[in-house]
Amino acid sequence: MTKSQMEMIARKLKNPEMFVKLLFGYDEIAEKQREILYMNGSTQVICAGRRFGKTNYVAGKIFYFATFNPRSHIIVGGPSLDQARIYYDLLEEALERSPLKGFVKKSKDSPFPTITLKNHSVITTRSTAYNGKYLRGRKVDLVVLTEAAFIKDSVYEQVITPMKLDAGAPVILESTPNGMNYFYEEYQRGLKGANRTVSLHATVYDNPFLDQEEIENAKAKTPEYVWRQEYLAEFVDDDSSFFPWKVLVEVFEDYKPAGYKEGHTYTIGVDLAKYKDYTVIVVLDTTEEPYKIAEFHRFNQIPYEEIIKLVNDIQIRYNGFVFLDATGVGDPVAERINACQPFVFSQKSKSELLHNLLLVMEQKRILLPSSNITLRDELRYFRRIKSGSGFKLEAQEGYHDDCVMALALAVYGATNKQEAKSFNLDIV
């Protein structure tokens, strides 16, 4: 290849669109996705709905930055390492098929997934957990926060903002909405063009590469509130939420359920599947506060005989007492579970159970794993629905509440340990 040919290729690659097409093998890029590539500001806020494709284009923007800024350090942070490493996995997969793979020197999968380029630029993914401990003290030239609206305000204010100020590093925030938090405030600043902040809003309809019929089918199956927030990326402040977003963002932390530990005490909550619902088993480590989930199961279309065996095996392994939803089909199952306290749901007992869970969350006496998106979203979309002169507590239409109820049962057991005295168990 001649020098002039090499220079021509280099000039083409400096065009963000050409670069991203070469990275992902795209034939064309739509208008809204193109806007992501050309966003420029000290803070860039991308508020986009599901299926818009923001992750791919932000990943392309990151790799472009690393390529044309030698020796740069880029951090991609998320509420959990699993969420942040989506960028690592996406780039690794794309680079396997792209001629841009030649820019990469090496990759490593752990402890923090990292891609190192031949120009000595480094892209690393980290968790924002534990008040940003994995981000502090890092030299950085670009910060990207994925699922930004699910990251604590305090982490953004006390860790990310100083990083931005100290190094002059731009910050990219990408997320669907989740309450009126720092992400919302930065998005509003960007709309006004304040403080060198720029904002972009995109919906599922802004991705022309999706089949229109597929979008409408998804809409038909999705509750309006969820559709507006998750797919249209609207900030919907709904006072019917039972678990406020300000509470939820504080109790989710990045940890892996640790399983059984010698000398620890446990409670087990079981919500049984009815019709098309799911059976959920939550094992809660209650040795000390904050409580943590030690084991979690969610499944459906499993015969009750298998469920009984699984719950009994778990009860024996953890030597914990079981609180089980014995409403309806649960009563005969409860009779065959070791050390089981049946819990029959009425409007009153269900309300007491859920208010107990809410209180424990408000007091920060429990931590839940950030990577458990199913549990997170069930809590987010659990509502207080007006019914006659009062309220019913139930899942948003189109959602399940099995995870919520199993967790509430396990927490009830943790906060009412006197219930265990009726069992011949070695429980403190």
Side-chain angles (χ1 to χ4, degrees), residues 356-372:
N356 180 64
L357 173 58
L358 177 59
L359 178 63
V360 168
M361 287 182 171
E362 289 175 337
Q363 294 174 342
K364 299 180 182 178
R365 296 169 58 197
I366 189 170
L367 289 179
L368 305 173
S370 298
S371 57
N372 193 328

Side-chain angles (χ1 to χ4, degrees), residues 136 140 154-169:
R136 295 176 186 270
V140 65
S154 58
V155 171
Y156 184 74
E157 293 160 1
Q158 298 170 20
V159 181
I160 303 301
T161 299
M163 289 170 70
K164 179 170 66 172
L165 295 175
D166 292 345

Side-chain angles (χ1 to χ4, degrees), residues 303-313 332-333 336-337:
Y304 284 125
E305 287 296 327
E306 292 185 29
I307 294 172
I308 291 167
K309 182 179 185 307
L310 175 60
V311 175
N312 279 332
D313 287 346
V333 173
R336 299 175 59 190
I337 300 295

Side-chain angles (χ1 to χ4, degrees), residues 27-315:
D27 293 324
E28 56 182 314
I29 295 176
E31 182 57 38
K32 277 283 185 177
Q33 284 90 344
R34 186 179 295 112
E35 288 183 39
I36 290 177
L37 302 180
Y38 288 101
M39 287 179 80
N40 187 26
S42 62
T43 304
Q44 302 166 34
V45 187
I46 302 165
C47 179
R50 292 185 190 177
R51 305 295 307 280
F52 166 66
K54 61 183 179 295
T55 307
N56 288 51
Y57 291 95
V58 174
K61 191 178 177 85
I62 290 169
F63 198 72
Y64 179 90
F65 184 95
T67 300
F68 292 103
N69 292 274
R71 299 184 182 278
S72 57
H73 288 74
I74 299 103
I75 287 181
V76 180
S80 71
L81 184 58
D82 286 347
Q83 289 162 298
R85 75 165 291 147
I86 289 172
Y87 275 87
Y88 172 84
D89 293 337
L90 181 62
L91 286 172
E92 282 285 278
E93 182 180 351
L95 287 165
E96 278 298 317
R97 304 186 301 269
S98 171
L100 298 183
K101 183 178 182 179
F103 291 165
V104 176
K105 180 180 180 180
K106 62 179 179 179
S107 300
K108 67 172 184 175
D109 188 73
S110 64
F112 300 104
T114 301
I115 298 173
T116 302
L117 277 62
K118 290 179 180 177
N119 68 357
H120 305 290
S121 289
V122 177
I123 303 168
T124 186
T125 58
R126 291 175 176 266
S127 167
T128 61
Y130 301 104
N131 297 315
K133 68 178 286 188
Y134 301 115
L135 304 177
R136 295 176 186 270
R138 306 289 165 187
K139 177 189 178 300
V140 65
D141 298 288
L142 172 65
V143 179
V144 178
L145 297 185
T146 183
E147 296 272 32
F150 298 88
I151 293 170
K152 297 177 184 177
D153 287 21
S154 58
V155 171
Y156 184 74
E157 293 160 1
Q158 298 170 20
V159 181
I160 303 301
T161 299
M163 289 170 70
K164 179 170 66 172
L165 295 175
D166 292 345
V171 174
I172 300 174
L173 309 174
E174 62 91 346
S175 187
T176 52
N178 181 44
M180 308 304 178
N181 50 11
Y182 85 89
F183 179 77
Y184 169 78
E185 292 171 357
E186 290 285 33
Y187 175 71
Q188 294 299 321
R189 289 190 189 98
L191 293 180
K192 299 171 185 176
N195 301 328
R196 294 185 60 219
T197 301
V198 293
S199 293
L200 179 145
H201 179 265
T203 76
V204 66
Y205 292 106
D206 289 312
N207 187 347
F209 307 115
L210 293 179
D211 182 80
Q212 190 67 30
E213 185 177 350
E214 182 184 350
I215 295 176
E216 294 308 316
N217 285 339
K219 182 179 180 180
K221 298 175 184 177
T222 307
E224 181 188 2
Y225 173 89
V226 179
W227 180 259
R228 289 173 58 198
Q229 181 163 271
E230 299 293 331
Y231 290 87
L232 302 185
E234 294 181 13
F235 290 90
V236 184
D237 193 8
D238 185 358
D239 59 7
S240 72
S241 297
F242 183 75
F243 300 100
W245 61 266
K246 286 185 177 180
V247 173
L248 292 180
V249 77
E250 294 295 330
V251 299
F252 275 92
E253 199 59 273
D254 189 17
Y255 71 89
K256 301 289 186 186
Y260 176 76
K261 290 185 178 180
E262 185 72 32
H264 283 221
T265 57
Y266 301 90
T267 58
I268 302 160
V270 181
D271 188 72
L272 293 173
K274 301 172 187 67
Y275 310 111
K276 296 181 180 180
D277 290 341
Y278 288 80
T279 291
V280 177
I281 305 169
V282 173
V283 182
L284 198 65
D285 188 333
T286 63
T287 311
E288 60 183 8
E289 296 181 2
Y291 310 135
K292 288 186 177 182
I293 290 179
E295 191 168 326
F296 178 91
H297 298 272
R298 181 177 184 262
F299 47 81
N300 64 357
Q301 299 181 342
I302 300 295
Y304 284 125
E305 287 296 327
E306 292 185 29
I307 294 172
I308 291 167
K309 182 179 185 307
L310 175 60
V311 175
N312 279 332
D313 287 346
I314 289 172
Q315 188 280 320

